[in-house]
Each structure stands twice: as structure tokens, then as C-alpha cells.
Amino acid sequence: MLQDVSKPGSTGVDIFTMVVLRRRFEAIIGEMINALFKSGRSGVLNTAMDFSCSLTDARFQSISLAQGLPVHVGAIDLIPRAVAAKFGRDIHPGDCFVNNSGYLGNTHCADFTVCAPVFVDSEIAFYVIARAHLGDMGFPTPTTYGPRSRDVYEEGLMLPCVRIQKDYADVPEVIDICKANIRVPEQFYGDYLAVLAAVRTGEARLKVLCAKYGAATVRTFVDEFQNYAERMACQAISTLPKGRVSKEMLYDSETELYPEGIPIRATIEVDPEEELVIVDLTENIDNLPLGINMTESTTIAACMTAVLNILGPDVPRCTGSFRRVKLLMREGAAIGKPRFPAATSAATTNLCHALIPHLQSMFAMLRGDLGTAYGTIGMPGSCAVVSGEDARGQGRSFVNQLIMGYWGGPALSGHDGWLTYGSGASQGILWQSSVEVVEQQQPIIIEKLEVREDSGGAGQWEGAPGADCIIRPRSGAVRFMVNSASREHPPQGAHGGRAAAPMRISRRDASGNDTELPISVDTTLRPGERLVSEGCGGGGYGDPLDRDPWAVVASLKAGRISRHRATEIYGVVFGHEGEEVTIDGPATVARRAQLRRRGVLA
């Protein structure tokens, strides 16, 4: 519900109509999402929902971003801006444009982003956008991430903001180029039609909306909604403590340039009087000879996501609220705006996964009830891109991204970590793929998928655990590619909370012997062999000895922690009464003794 924080004479649309139009826009985006979800061909779309839909007005103001993946929609306005900059007046009804270039406002090359103009009264009134992570984008290897790519030329097919439809009909040459470069052309074309259905659904619904309420009223709503969002952001920032903090973290390195870890640096300044948050990323290192460099889109989205998480759920995620965040970044930086031809195919994961909680943790330095610990950084082995030939389908080729056991939410003041959080880039929006559907779509068997004990960071508020997962080929060889992390530098805690367990990925041979795999996994398994994935959890928040003992009991009974952790870290000893686990008298004595040794109790 819109809160009445308007100023006298600030709106030309009554509050009732404002609320109705806001919900209508959200419903339009919801219809776009359903169109794509119900018709997507690849599993990463029709089971994991790794896509987002959004829209902007003709002045590139985003309206509702709450229903998409944060990394997808946090800078979605860059897409129509690229269309307008490239095509100018050569944009017509029935046009549609596709863009997967990290240098023209896209997130990374695997995110196939389609944008169509919406004409009302012979003028562009809106742009509708659908962005979908495809299972294959013509990489040299069957994946959509290339963390070891040295430059953009090693990252597959590039579509630098080109027209893919004219007069509501496909431009056949563009479709032919895509099919010729993608290993699963029919899967690609089905996914393309699903993305197209989303934007055409949005276009049709927006025209109906403008016809019902009048284009002028709708335009006024969009402007006033931005002003409302900005006022809400100002109100939230005014309650924050004034301060300036700088912090550096390390990310697991695969380059000898940074053998101890890749540094991620940020400075945050909060000015409640000016109602402004400044995020300075200019001190970050130059572009790396790796595919993990962030794009302009993912850098902006990461910063907006982190800051808006602090401002709270009542602040709308749109252009208006983003006005109160000033972002400083530089070109040619690994975290910033890349300089061509730096590789960026893993720009939505890796460093992006680390930057969002890094910024959130910095707010915890300003005040004890703000911010979060660190969540999952990198993809676990259960989120591999799998490929090969399926004997069940007469040897047909398959490529798909799995999304399973993608957990590990960070703890924060007052709350344990969210189990299905995934990462800062997805924040629970990605669905967990069904084991049964995954086994039907690919010739693999999921032998194990369960909570990984003691993987979340201990704390007064505990980080969510990761997953233990074991996958094996059903019959023929299957190639697994993963861009993981969190080995040497697992997700850290905040305010005395402990770090999460490191992420591990191993190859188990037919004799049961495990060989640990590197951060960037590229391995082919044959029948009898297995991929063993041990996902990291999220970091803890606050001193573990301040945790409610009965919350420790609940975590033990849920299988999240072991008795060893309960006793050695939380200071709680358990006794048995029938089948119930309870805290006995000596447990309280032992816990208080630990607190006295630390000087917490007299």
C-alpha cells in the first residue's frame, strides 16, 4: 500500500488511482513473467525461473523492480537507453531489439535481453524488457559462464543491440546467426519465443492500460510514483546514522596477479541530513584477465540492491529511490565499468556475489542493528552447467544450467539466514529446480540433496546452511562446468559472528576416492563416477554465546548443526527425556561458565 508521504500540491493523480495504477503495473509484469515461465524451453527458465521482466517509460524511468532478480533489474534502464542511443528515430511499432553485450548495458553475455518499444498515440510511451539466462550462448565450451576467459572474444556469440523483429516479424538473418552458433538451436528458438511472448504481452497490456486511464494520466502516475519513491528513500536514509566507512575483503583468486586473493574495496558514506548514500568503488583493481569482471549493469545493480536492502521493504525499487544513491566507479576496473575487450561472462556471479554482501556488511559497522553478514559467494557444484548427449533421445545434444542446493543466506540482526537465499544477486527469487524434473530433462541422477551440517556461520543469529549434493551420470558421459568460489575466503560473519564453512567440489571415482576440483570446474564424468558438491553457508551475525539456547536446540533438531557445535561453540549441553531433546541443568551451568570466562557475566 502506498503510504501518504506526499507534499502539498505534489501530485496530479489522486491516491486511490495511484494505488490502482501501481498494482496494474505490477500485474502487467506478472503476466509477462507467466508468459515466459509457461513457455520457456530450457530447464533454467521453466523450473528455476532464471529470468526477469520489467519496463520503463520513454524517459527510461523504471517502475517496478520487485518481481525480478536484483542483478537483472537493478539497472534495467540501460537496455532501452542503448536502443535509443543506437537507433534514434529509426524505432517503429513492431520493432524488437536483442542485446547480450556487457558493453551496451547488458548484465553478461548469457542473459539474452529483448526490448520492444510501446507506441501510444504514435509516440513511444514505454519500453518492455525481458531478460533470460539461456542454457547455451555459443561459448567455446558448453556453458554460459567463462570465469577463465581472457577477453570478450572467448565468450561466444555477441548480439550488440540489434533488431531481431521488424513489423512484428522475425529478422531471419539474426535468428539464423543465433541458431548457427548455439549447440541446441531448437531449445534456443523455443526460449527466444518465450522471451518474445513476454515483451509482446507487456506491450499489449500497456496499450490497454493507457486506453482505459488515458496516456496523460498514466504518464503523470509514473512521474509521481518516482517522486513518491524518492521521498520514501529520503525518509529511510534520514533515520540512518551519519558516517563514513571503508572496507576491503578478499575473493578467491585464479590469477597469479593476486595470489592471496582478489581485493574488493568500497567506501560508503551516509549523510542523513542530505538524505543521500554515496558508494565509492573507485579504488578497485584494474580489469582482470578473467571472465569475472563486472559490467556497468551488474555494478550498478549490486550497489542499488545492497543499499535498498538497508533502506527496507517499504521503499519502492525504481528509478526514484535510486536517485538517493550516488555511485562512484571508474572505467577499466574489475568492479566498475569494464574497458573493452575485458571478459565479463561471469559478471552476474563471482565478484557480484561478493560485492552485495560486502556493502551490506559495511552498514553493520555504522550501527549494530544494520546490515548483514556475507551470504553464498560463487556457485556450488549442484548449480553446474551440464551438457552431453542423451541416449534416451537418440543421442540428442543437451545443455542446461542446474539450480539446486543454492542456499546459504547471511544472518542479520534479529534473523537467522534465509535458507533458499541463493546469493546477493538472486536473493531468493530463483526457484530451486525439482530433482525429478532435472532427472527427466538431463540424463543424470541426483543421489543426494540435503542440508550440509555446520555449514552456516555460527552467531547470535545463524547463517543459513549450504547443501550437500551428489550427482552422477545416468548412462553416457556428462560434462560439468561450475564457476565456484568460497574456498580460501568463505562467507564471513559480522559483529562477532563466525564464517561459514568453505565450499568444496570433488570428483568421486568408481572406487569411491575423491579428488578435489579447482574453483573453475570443467570435468567430464562417466557412469560410475560422481560429482560431490558441498555448498558454503552464510556467515553468522553476533556472538554465538548470545544465541537463545532454545534456538540452538531447534537448529540441532532440524539437522543444521551438530552436537559438537552446540556444545563447543554455543556452550549448550543436551540431555534426553524420551525422544525429546531438552536443555538440562548442567547445560545452563556450562553456558554461564563460558560467559563468565569471557567476562560477559559477573
Side-chain angles (χ1 to χ4, degrees):
M1 190 73 172
L2 287 171
Q3 296 183 30
D4 188 5
V5 295
S6 60
K7 299 176 182 177
S10 67
T11 180
V13 180
D14 65 87
I15 188 66
F16 178 78
T17 305
M18 288 285 291
V19 172
V20 170
L21 287 175
R22 179 181 183 179
R23 299 310 180 204
R24 286 295 297 270
F25 273 101
E26 290 176 354
I28 289 169
I29 294 172
E31 285 194 66
M32 294 171 67
I33 290 170
N34 284 336
L36 206 163
F37 181 49
K38 297 296 185 181
S39 54
R41 183 76 60 88
S42 61
V44 72
L45 301 185
N46 62 34
T47 64
M49 294 188 75
D50 193 353
F51 64 83
S52 300
C53 300
S54 191
L55 54 90
T56 75
D57 68 359
R59 293 189 290 135
F60 316 117
Q61 297 182 110
S62 59
I63 294 159
S64 180
L65 302 177
Q67 301 179 72
L69 273 68
V71 72
H72 277 176
V73 297
I76 200 72
D77 61 291
L78 296 179
I79 293 298
R81 289 180 191 275
V83 171
K86 182 171 182 177
F87 292 91
R89 301 175 69 89
D90 186 21
I91 302 174
H92 309 283
D95 280 349
C96 197
F97 304 89
V98 62
N99 183 355
N100 78 329
S101 171
Y103 290 89
L104 291 172
N106 200 45
T107 43
H108 72 141
C109 55
D111 284 339
F112 187 86
T113 305
V114 169
C115 175
V118 179
F119 282 79
V120 177
D121 299 331
S122 303
E123 292 184 350
I124 296 176
F126 299 97
Y127 293 92
V128 283
I129 308 125
R131 170 173 282 157
H133 184 149
L134 298 190
D136 183 71
M137 203 60 217
F139 255 71
T141 54
T143 183
T144 52
Y145 300 109
R148 300 302 300 271
S149 298
R150 289 165 295 185
D151 57 39
V152 71
Y153 301 109
E154 295 185 356
E155 295 187 320
L157 175 63
M158 286 293 151
L159 299 164
C161 193
V162 299
R163 201 186 320 258
I164 198 169
Q165 273 206 331
K166 186 178 181 68
D167 257 344
Y168 295 100
D170 289 346
V171 177
E173 293 84 359
V174 176
I175 300 297
D176 289 346
I177 289 170
C178 292
K179 286 184 173 181
N181 284 274
I182 291 174
R183 293 172 179 81
V184 281
E186 295 310 312
Q187 176 177 295
F188 154 75
Y189 192 64
D191 286 341
Y192 159 66
L193 292 178
V195 176
L196 184 65
V199 298
R200 293 305 182 202
T201 296
E203 177 188 19
R205 299 298 184 266
L206 285 169
K207 288 183 176 180
V208 170
L209 184 72
C210 290
K212 180 174 181 177
Y213 290 93
T217 297
V218 174
R219 280 195 296 268
T220 302
F221 159 78
V222 172
D223 289 340
E224 290 303 327
F225 185 68
Q226 306 304 326
N227 295 335
Y228 162 77
E230 185 172 11
R231 291 194 298 274
M232 289 293 290
C234 288
Q235 188 179 82
I237 295 170
S238 69
T239 67
L240 296 178
K242 183 180 179 67
R244 185 176 187 272
V245 294
S246 298
K247 189 179 180 184
E248 177 180 297
M249 67 164 288
L250 294 177
Y251 172 88
D252 288 6
S253 177
E254 288 189 280
T255 170
E256 58 188 20
L257 296 174
Y258 299 96
E260 302 303 317
I262 295 169
I264 297 175
R265 304 178 181 123
T267 296
I268 291 178
E269 183 174 355
V270 178
D271 190 336
E273 289 85 11
E274 293 294 324
E275 298 169 333
L276 186 69
V277 175
I278 301 171
V279 180
D280 187 347
L281 303 176
T282 56
E283 296 301 315
N284 280 293
I285 62 173
D286 290 344
N287 284 140
L288 295 160
L290 298 168
I292 65 175
N293 297 294
M294 294 180 69
T295 56
E296 179 184 16
S297 178
T298 57
T299 302
I300 293 173
C303 294
M304 297 306 168
T305 297
V307 174
L308 267 292
N309 281 347
I310 302 302
L311 299 189
D314 292 334
V315 180
R317 273 62 174 159
C318 64
T319 297
S321 56
F322 292 172
R323 294 171 187 160
R324 308 315 303 170
V325 182
K326 183 178 181 181
L327 174 58
L328 305 176
M329 60 179 175
R330 64 182 180 87
E331 186 176 4
I335 297 175
K337 189 174 180 179
R339 180 175 290 124
F340 193 85
T344 60
S345 57
T348 58
T349 53
N350 301 57
L351 294 179
C352 184
H353 282 181
L355 178 60
I356 294 172
H358 184 57
L359 297 174
Q360 291 172 178
S361 76
M362 295 172 70
F363 283 92
M365 299 166 66
L366 289 172
R367 199 172 72 200
D369 62 338
L370 291 176
T372 71
Y374 291 74
T376 292
I377 299 172
M379 308 291 280
S382 53
C383 289
V385 176
V386 294
S387 61
E389 295 182 349
D390 192 345
R392 301 171 303 173
Q394 290 74 52
R396 66 173 176 84
S397 296
F398 67 91
V399 182
N400 189 37
Q401 166 97 51
L402 306 181
I403 303 290
M404 294 191 305
Y406 191 32
W407 302 343
L412 63 157
S413 177
H415 298 278
D416 289 344
W418 181 4
L419 178 63
T420 56
Y421 176 82
S423 71
S426 58
Q427 305 214 353
I429 298 294
L430 275 179
W431 285 21
Q432 297 288 311
S433 297
S434 159
V435 168
E436 292 77 14
V437 172
V438 163
E439 291 180 341
Q440 182 208 27
Q441 290 175 333
Q442 289 86 210
I444 58 177
I445 297 293
I446 312 301
E447 289 191 343
K448 178 182 181 181
L449 179 61
E450 60 185 43
V451 165
R452 181 186 176 194
E453 190 178 75
D454 289 345
S455 57
Q460 180 181 8
W461 308 103
E462 194 167 60
D468 274 338
C469 185
I470 299 177
I471 309 173
R472 66 173 173 84
R474 183 185 293 268
S475 51
V478 177
R479 189 173 184 177
F480 292 80
M481 301 191 72
V482 191
N483 52 321
S484 71
S486 299
R487 308 290 183 88
E488 301 300 322
H489 304 285
Q492 298 297 300
H495 273 298
R498 304 286 185 91
M503 186 181 293
R504 299 282 184 241
I505 304 175
S506 303
R507 176 186 180 132
R508 180 168 296 168
D509 64 25
S511 300
N513 300 311
D514 288 357
T515 301
E516 187 168 348
L517 298 173
I519 295 172
S520 294
V521 175
D522 183 358
T523 188
T524 300
L525 302 186
R526 290 169 175 78
E529 298 178 316
R530 289 159 175 79
L531 187 81
V532 180
S533 171
E534 300 171 87
C536 63
Y541 195 105
D543 191 327
L545 289 176
D546 292 333
R547 186 167 177 79
D548 180 354
W550 291 106
V552 178
V553 172
S555 293
L556 177 69
K557 295 175 73 172
R560 295 189 176 200
I561 66 169
S562 64
R563 283 179 174 270
H564 180 268
R565 170 175 284 197
T567 301
E568 297 301 319
I569 295 180
Y570 289 116
V572 176
V573 182
F574 298 96
H576 285 283
E577 289 185 7
E579 295 183 356
E580 290 295 318
V581 180
T582 59
I583 301 177
D584 60 17
T588 304
V589 173
R591 183 178 177 83
R592 293 180 65 84
Q594 283 202 9
L595 293 173
R596 286 195 189 95
R597 283 197 297 273
R598 296 179 60 252
V600 176
L601 292 179

